[in-house]
Protein backbone atom coordinates (compact mmCIF):
# COMPACT_ATOMS: atom_id res chain seq x y z
CA UNK A 1 0.00 0.00 0.00
CA UNK A 2 1.24 3.44 -0.95
CA UNK A 3 1.88 5.35 2.29
CA UNK A 4 1.48 8.61 0.38
CA UNK A 5 -2.09 7.67 -0.58
CA UNK A 6 -2.91 6.87 3.06
CA UNK A 7 -1.45 10.14 4.37
CA UNK A 8 -3.21 12.21 1.69
CA UNK A 9 -6.56 10.53 2.34
CA UNK A 10 -6.33 11.03 6.11
CA UNK A 11 -5.28 14.65 5.56
CA UNK A 12 -8.27 15.28 3.29
CA UNK A 13 -10.55 13.54 5.83
CA UNK A 14 -9.36 15.94 8.52
CA UNK A 15 -9.85 18.80 6.08
CA UNK A 16 -13.44 17.66 5.59
CA UNK A 17 -13.91 17.65 9.37
CA UNK A 18 -12.68 21.24 9.51
CA UNK A 19 -15.18 22.33 6.83
CA UNK A 20 -17.85 20.38 8.70
CA UNK A 21 -17.01 22.39 11.82
CA UNK A 22 -17.31 25.85 10.30
CA UNK A 23 -20.22 24.79 8.09
CA UNK A 24 -22.23 23.33 10.98
CA UNK A 25 -21.14 25.52 13.91
CA UNK A 26 -24.31 27.52 13.29
CA UNK A 27 -26.40 24.45 14.14
CA UNK A 28 -25.44 24.66 17.79
CA UNK A 29 -25.25 28.38 18.43
CA UNK A 30 -27.25 30.40 15.86
CA UNK A 31 -30.35 30.69 18.04
CA UNK A 32 -28.32 31.57 21.16
CA UNK A 33 -26.45 34.30 19.30
CA UNK A 34 -29.57 35.71 17.65
CA UNK A 35 -31.37 35.95 21.02
CA UNK A 36 -28.22 37.49 22.57
CA UNK A 37 -28.04 34.68 25.11
CA UNK A 38 -24.37 34.38 24.13
CA UNK A 39 -21.94 36.65 22.30
CA UNK A 40 -20.74 35.17 19.01
CA UNK A 41 -17.18 34.50 20.20
CA UNK A 42 -18.28 33.07 23.54
CA UNK A 43 -20.79 30.85 21.72
CA UNK A 44 -18.16 29.62 19.26
CA UNK A 45 -15.65 28.90 22.04
CA UNK A 46 -18.27 26.97 24.01
CA UNK A 47 -19.32 25.04 20.92
CA UNK A 48 -15.71 24.15 20.10
CA UNK A 49 -15.09 22.77 23.60
CA UNK A 50 -18.35 20.78 23.61
CA UNK A 51 -17.63 19.43 20.11
CA UNK A 52 -14.32 18.16 21.44
CA UNK A 53 -15.99 16.47 24.41
CA UNK A 54 -18.82 15.00 22.33
CA UNK A 55 -16.39 13.23 20.01
CA UNK A 56 -15.38 10.86 22.83
CA UNK A 57 -18.90 9.83 23.89
CA UNK A 58 -19.39 6.85 21.57
CA UNK A 59 -18.42 4.96 18.42
CA UNK A 60 -21.68 3.58 17.01
CA UNK A 61 -22.00 6.22 14.30
CA UNK A 62 -18.36 5.71 13.24
CA UNK A 63 -18.99 1.97 12.80
CA UNK A 64 -22.04 2.66 10.64
CA UNK A 65 -19.98 4.94 8.38
CA UNK A 66 -16.98 2.58 8.15
CA UNK A 67 -18.92 -0.66 7.62
CA UNK A 68 -22.57 -0.01 6.86
CA UNK A 69 -22.75 2.09 3.68
CA UNK A 70 -20.28 0.77 1.08
CA UNK A 71 -18.19 -2.38 0.76
CA UNK A 72 -14.68 -1.89 2.12
CA UNK A 73 -12.50 -1.10 -0.92
CA UNK A 74 -9.00 -2.49 -1.26
CA UNK A 75 -5.58 -1.36 -2.48
CA UNK A 76 -4.61 2.01 -3.92
CA UNK A 77 -7.84 2.07 -5.92
CA UNK A 78 -9.79 1.77 -2.69
CA UNK A 79 -7.86 4.63 -1.14
CA UNK A 80 -8.60 6.87 -4.10
CA UNK A 81 -12.30 6.00 -3.77
CA UNK A 82 -12.21 7.35 -0.22
CA UNK A 83 -10.24 10.39 -1.39
CA UNK A 84 -12.81 11.14 -4.11
CA UNK A 85 -15.70 10.73 -1.65
CA UNK A 86 -14.14 13.33 0.64
CA UNK A 87 -13.46 15.74 -2.24
CA UNK A 88 -17.13 15.50 -3.24
CA UNK A 89 -18.23 16.29 0.30
CA UNK A 90 -15.78 19.18 0.76
CA UNK A 91 -16.71 20.82 -2.57
CA UNK A 92 -20.42 20.68 -1.76
CA UNK A 93 -19.79 22.02 1.75
CA UNK A 94 -17.92 25.00 0.33
CA UNK A 95 -20.61 25.71 -2.28
CA UNK A 96 -23.44 25.64 0.26
CA UNK A 97 -21.39 27.64 2.78
CA UNK A 98 -20.75 30.34 0.16
CA UNK A 99 -24.48 30.71 -0.50
CA UNK A 100 -25.36 30.52 3.21
CA UNK A 101 -27.45 27.39 2.71
CA UNK A 102 -27.56 25.09 5.78
CA UNK A 103 -27.28 21.83 3.90
CA UNK A 104 -26.05 18.68 5.58
CA UNK A 105 -22.30 17.96 5.77
CA UNK A 106 -23.26 14.42 6.75
CA UNK A 107 -25.28 13.80 3.63
CA UNK A 108 -22.59 15.44 1.53
CA UNK A 109 -20.19 12.81 2.91
CA UNK A 110 -22.62 9.94 2.38
CA UNK A 111 -23.39 11.12 -1.15
CA UNK A 112 -19.67 11.37 -1.84
CA UNK A 113 -19.13 7.80 -0.58
CA UNK A 114 -21.91 6.41 -2.78
CA UNK A 115 -20.82 8.35 -5.87
CA UNK A 116 -17.16 7.38 -5.51
CA UNK A 117 -18.07 3.74 -4.84
CA UNK A 118 -20.22 3.55 -7.96
CA UNK A 119 -17.54 5.24 -10.07
CA UNK A 120 -14.87 2.95 -8.61
CA UNK A 121 -16.84 -0.22 -9.24
CA UNK A 122 -17.35 -1.38 -5.64
CA UNK A 123 -20.62 -2.36 -4.04
CA UNK A 124 -22.95 0.05 -2.28
CA UNK A 125 -24.77 -1.49 0.68
CA UNK A 126 -28.13 -0.08 -0.33
CA UNK A 127 -29.97 -1.60 2.62
CA UNK A 128 -27.60 0.24 4.94
CA UNK A 129 -27.91 3.48 2.97
CA UNK A 130 -31.70 3.32 3.08
CA UNK A 131 -31.93 2.24 6.72
CA UNK A 132 -29.21 4.44 8.22
CA UNK A 133 -29.26 7.48 5.89
CA UNK A 134 -32.36 7.86 3.71
CA UNK A 135 -35.01 6.93 6.28
CA UNK A 136 -33.46 9.11 9.04
CA UNK A 137 -33.11 11.91 6.46
CA UNK A 138 -36.89 12.02 6.12
CA UNK A 139 -37.88 10.97 9.64
CA UNK A 140 -35.57 13.23 11.70
CA UNK A 141 -36.86 16.55 10.25
CA UNK A 142 -40.47 15.44 10.80
CA UNK A 143 -39.65 14.44 14.38
CA UNK A 144 -37.80 17.75 14.84
CA UNK A 145 -40.74 19.75 13.48
CA UNK A 146 -43.38 17.99 15.59
CA UNK A 147 -41.24 17.75 18.74
CA UNK A 148 -40.19 21.40 18.47
CA UNK A 149 -43.84 22.43 18.17
CA UNK A 150 -44.90 20.29 21.15
CA UNK A 151 -42.01 21.39 23.39
CA UNK A 152 -42.83 25.02 22.66
CA UNK A 153 -46.55 24.44 23.38
CA UNK A 154 -45.62 22.94 26.77
CA UNK A 155 -43.34 25.89 27.57
CA UNK A 156 -46.05 28.39 26.60
CA UNK A 157 -48.56 26.58 28.85
CA UNK A 158 -46.19 26.25 31.82
CA UNK A 159 -45.19 29.92 31.69
CA UNK A 160 -48.54 31.36 30.62
CA UNK A 161 -48.85 33.42 33.83
CA UNK A 162 -45.16 34.32 34.16
CA UNK A 163 -43.84 37.83 33.74
CA UNK A 164 -42.72 37.88 30.06
CA UNK A 165 -39.59 39.94 30.76
CA UNK A 166 -38.44 37.68 33.62
CA UNK A 167 -39.27 34.53 31.65
CA UNK A 168 -37.22 35.66 28.66
CA UNK A 169 -34.29 36.53 30.90
CA UNK A 170 -34.46 33.08 32.51
CA UNK A 171 -34.64 31.32 29.15
CA UNK A 172 -31.71 33.37 27.91
CA UNK A 173 -29.64 31.85 30.73
CA UNK A 174 -31.10 28.38 30.07
CA UNK A 175 -30.05 28.68 26.42
CA UNK A 176 -26.42 28.45 27.52
CA UNK A 177 -27.16 24.88 28.63
CA UNK A 178 -29.31 23.94 25.63
CA UNK A 179 -26.73 25.34 23.17
CA UNK A 180 -24.00 23.38 24.96
CA UNK A 181 -26.10 20.21 24.62
CA UNK A 182 -26.51 20.89 20.88
CA UNK A 183 -22.75 21.33 20.49
CA UNK A 184 -22.11 18.14 22.46
CA UNK A 185 -24.51 16.27 20.19
CA UNK A 186 -22.82 17.76 17.13
CA UNK A 187 -19.46 16.45 18.33
CA UNK A 188 -20.98 13.04 19.09
CA UNK A 189 -22.48 12.78 15.62
CA UNK A 190 -20.14 14.57 13.23
CA UNK A 191 -16.67 13.80 14.60
CA UNK A 192 -17.54 10.10 14.46
CA UNK A 193 -18.41 10.31 10.78
CA UNK A 194 -14.84 11.29 9.92
CA UNK A 195 -13.50 8.70 12.37
CA UNK A 196 -15.33 6.09 10.31
CA UNK A 197 -13.60 7.29 7.13
CA UNK A 198 -10.14 7.36 8.73
CA UNK A 199 -10.63 3.86 10.17
CA UNK A 200 -11.64 2.61 6.71
CA UNK A 201 -8.44 4.12 5.27
CA UNK A 202 -6.36 2.37 7.96
CA UNK A 203 -8.09 -0.94 7.20
CA UNK A 204 -7.45 -0.54 3.47
CA UNK A 205 -3.77 0.14 4.22
CA UNK A 206 -3.58 -2.95 6.49
CA UNK A 207 -2.57 -0.72 9.40
CA UNK A 208 -5.34 -2.11 11.59
CA UNK A 209 -7.95 -4.87 11.55
CA UNK A 210 -11.52 -4.12 10.50
CA UNK A 211 -12.95 -5.05 13.90
CA UNK A 212 -10.34 -3.18 15.96
CA UNK A 213 -11.28 -0.28 18.23
CA UNK A 214 -10.92 3.27 16.94
CA UNK A 215 -7.36 4.42 17.78
CA UNK A 216 -7.18 7.21 20.34
CA UNK A 217 -5.13 9.40 17.99
CA UNK A 218 -7.91 9.18 15.38
CA UNK A 219 -10.48 10.34 17.94
CA UNK A 220 -8.27 13.20 19.07
CA UNK A 221 -7.39 14.34 15.53
CA UNK A 222 -11.01 14.32 14.35
CA UNK A 223 -12.27 16.02 17.51
CA UNK A 224 -9.62 18.75 17.36
CA UNK A 225 -10.21 19.50 13.66
CA UNK A 226 -13.98 19.68 14.19
CA UNK A 227 -13.44 22.04 17.13
CA UNK A 228 -11.05 24.26 15.17
CA UNK A 229 -13.51 24.46 12.30
CA UNK A 230 -16.31 25.27 14.71
CA UNK A 231 -14.31 28.09 16.26
CA UNK A 232 -13.61 29.50 12.80
CA UNK A 233 -17.37 30.01 12.58
CA UNK A 234 -19.95 29.87 9.82
CA UNK A 235 -21.43 33.35 9.85
CA UNK A 236 -23.33 33.11 6.57
CA UNK A 237 -25.28 30.04 7.67
CA UNK A 238 -25.71 31.43 11.18
CA UNK A 239 -27.66 34.36 9.75
CA UNK A 240 -29.97 31.98 7.87
CA UNK A 241 -30.72 29.82 10.90
CA UNK A 242 -30.86 32.61 13.46
CA UNK A 243 -32.84 35.26 11.62
CA UNK A 244 -34.17 34.30 8.20
CA UNK A 245 -36.41 31.36 9.15
CA UNK A 246 -38.08 33.12 12.08
CA UNK A 247 -37.12 35.85 14.53
CA UNK A 248 -36.20 33.62 17.47
CA UNK A 249 -36.74 34.72 21.09
CA UNK A 250 -35.07 33.00 24.09
CA UNK A 251 -37.91 30.54 24.93
CA UNK A 252 -38.11 29.50 21.28
CA UNK A 253 -34.33 29.14 21.07
CA UNK A 254 -34.29 26.98 24.19
CA UNK A 255 -37.12 24.79 22.86
CA UNK A 256 -35.44 24.30 19.46
CA UNK A 257 -32.02 23.50 20.92
CA UNK A 258 -33.41 21.11 23.53
CA UNK A 259 -35.38 19.30 20.85
CA UNK A 260 -32.43 19.06 18.49
CA UNK A 261 -30.01 17.82 21.14
CA UNK A 262 -32.44 15.16 22.37
CA UNK A 263 -32.95 13.78 18.86
CA UNK A 264 -29.19 13.67 18.15
CA UNK A 265 -28.36 11.83 21.36
CA UNK A 266 -31.24 9.40 20.88
CA UNK A 267 -30.33 8.56 17.28
CA UNK A 268 -26.62 8.10 18.11
CA UNK A 269 -27.03 5.92 21.20
CA UNK A 270 -30.19 3.99 20.32
CA UNK A 271 -29.92 3.50 16.54
CA UNK A 272 -26.27 4.33 15.67
CA UNK A 273 -27.82 6.41 12.90
CA UNK A 274 -25.67 9.25 11.51
CA UNK A 275 -28.38 11.90 11.25
CA UNK A 276 -27.90 15.47 10.10
CA UNK A 277 -27.59 18.06 12.84
CA UNK A 278 -28.61 20.63 10.21
CA UNK A 279 -31.88 18.85 9.40
CA UNK A 280 -32.78 18.42 13.05
CA UNK A 281 -32.17 21.97 14.29
CA UNK A 282 -33.66 23.62 11.19
CA UNK A 283 -36.88 21.61 11.44
CA UNK A 284 -37.03 22.20 15.22
CA UNK A 285 -36.78 25.97 14.62
CA UNK A 286 -39.64 25.71 12.11
CA UNK A 287 -41.77 23.71 14.54
CA UNK A 288 -41.13 26.17 17.35
CA UNK A 289 -41.91 29.12 15.11
CA UNK A 290 -45.20 27.60 13.96
CA UNK A 291 -46.57 27.92 17.52
CA UNK A 292 -46.52 31.69 17.13
CA UNK A 293 -48.56 31.45 13.97
CA UNK A 294 -47.99 29.41 10.84
CA UNK A 295 -47.06 32.42 8.71
CA UNK A 296 -44.45 33.51 11.30
CA UNK A 297 -42.13 31.00 9.64
CA UNK A 298 -40.65 32.31 6.42
CA UNK A 299 -41.59 29.23 4.44
CA UNK A 300 -39.91 30.56 1.28
CA UNK A 301 -36.54 30.35 3.03
CA UNK A 302 -37.54 26.97 4.48
CA UNK A 303 -38.43 25.73 0.99
CA UNK A 304 -34.96 26.64 -0.33
CA UNK A 305 -33.33 24.87 2.61
CA UNK A 306 -35.41 21.73 2.06
CA UNK A 307 -34.53 21.79 -1.64
CA UNK A 308 -30.89 21.85 -0.57
CA UNK A 309 -31.48 18.73 1.52
CA UNK A 310 -32.77 16.82 -1.50
CA UNK A 311 -30.00 17.79 -3.88
CA UNK A 312 -27.07 17.41 -1.43
CA UNK A 313 -26.51 13.66 -1.77
CA UNK A 314 -26.84 13.49 -5.59
CA UNK A 315 -24.70 16.62 -6.06
CA UNK A 316 -21.92 15.38 -3.75
CA UNK A 317 -22.12 11.95 -5.41
CA UNK A 318 -21.62 13.52 -8.83
CA UNK A 319 -18.63 15.59 -7.70
CA UNK A 320 -17.12 12.52 -6.03
CA UNK A 321 -17.59 10.39 -9.16
CA UNK A 322 -15.89 13.03 -11.34
CA UNK A 323 -13.09 13.32 -8.77
CA UNK A 324 -12.52 9.58 -8.84
CA UNK A 325 -12.33 9.49 -12.63
CA UNK A 326 -9.78 12.32 -12.61
CA UNK A 327 -7.66 10.63 -9.92
CA UNK A 328 -7.98 7.30 -11.71
CA UNK A 329 -6.66 8.83 -14.92
CA UNK A 330 -3.80 10.59 -13.11
CA UNK A 331 -2.54 7.87 -10.76
CA UNK A 332 -3.86 4.46 -11.70
Amino acid sequence: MDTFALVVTIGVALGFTYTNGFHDSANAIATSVSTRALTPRAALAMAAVMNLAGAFLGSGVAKTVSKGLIETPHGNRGMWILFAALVGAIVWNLITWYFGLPSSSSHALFGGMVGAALAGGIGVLWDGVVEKVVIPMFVSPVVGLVAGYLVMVVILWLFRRANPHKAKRGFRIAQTVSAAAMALGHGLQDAQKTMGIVVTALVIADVQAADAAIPVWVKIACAVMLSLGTYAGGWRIMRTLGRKIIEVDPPQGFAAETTGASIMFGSAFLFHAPISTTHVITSAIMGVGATKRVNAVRWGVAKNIILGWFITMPAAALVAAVSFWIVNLAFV
Side-chain angles (χ1 to χ4, degrees), residues 10-11 16 29 52 57 66 79 85 93 107 114 116 118 138 171 186 192 228 234 244 252 261 280 300 311 318 331:
I10 292 176
F16 165 75
I29 61 175
L52 189 65
L57 291 182
S66 63
M79 199 65 75
N93 267 358
H107 291 116
V114 170
L118 292 173
F138 288 100
F171 275 108
H186 181 218
Q192 284 192 56
L228 289 174
K244 290 184 180 178
Q252 291 173 329
V280 169
I311 65 174
L318 180 62
F331 294 101

Side-chain angles (χ1 to χ4, degrees), residues 184-310:
L184 194 69
H186 181 218
L188 171 66
Q189 280 278 345
D190 285 24
Q192 284 192 56
K193 291 160 191 171
T194 307
M195 290 179 205
I197 293 292
V198 175
V199 165
T200 302
L202 295 174
V203 171
I204 293 171
D206 291 326
V207 173
Q208 77 169 50
D211 56 353
I214 301 172
V216 174
W217 71 265
V218 173
K219 291 185 177 183
I220 293 173
C222 293
V224 168
M225 289 304 290
L226 185 70
S227 294
L228 289 174
T230 295
Y231 192 71
W235 302 108
R236 292 171 186 265
I237 294 169
M238 200 179 298
R239 282 194 294 271
T240 300
L241 281 177
R243 297 266 181 205
K244 290 184 180 178
I245 298 174
I246 62 167
E247 292 291 335
V248 181
D249 63 22
Q252 291 173 329
F254 174 81
E257 290 166 347
T258 301
T259 300
S262 300
I263 294 171
M264 285 193 294
F265 282 112
S267 61
F269 289 124
L270 297 177
F271 306 109
H272 298 164
I275 65 167
S276 166
T277 52
T278 308
H279 288 191
V280 169
I281 190 61
T282 305
S283 58
I285 291 172
M286 292 179 194
V288 164
T291 61
K292 189 183 291 184
R293 60 185 188 281
V294 173
N295 61 0
V297 179
R298 298 187 179 108
W299 295 107
V301 176
K303 181 185 72 174
N304 292 337
I305 291 170
I306 292 168
L307 181 63
W309 293 352
F310 280 101

Side-chain angles (χ1 to χ4, degrees), residues 136-149:
M137 181 173 76
F138 288 100
V139 171
S140 60
V142 174
V143 173
L145 185 73
V146 174
Y149 181 89

Side-chain angles (χ1 to χ4, degrees), residues 107 126 128-139 313:
H107 291 116
W126 291 110
V129 172
V130 170
E131 180 184 342
K132 297 295 187 181
V133 178
V134 177
I135 291 176
M137 181 173 76
F138 288 100
V139 171
M313 283 188 69

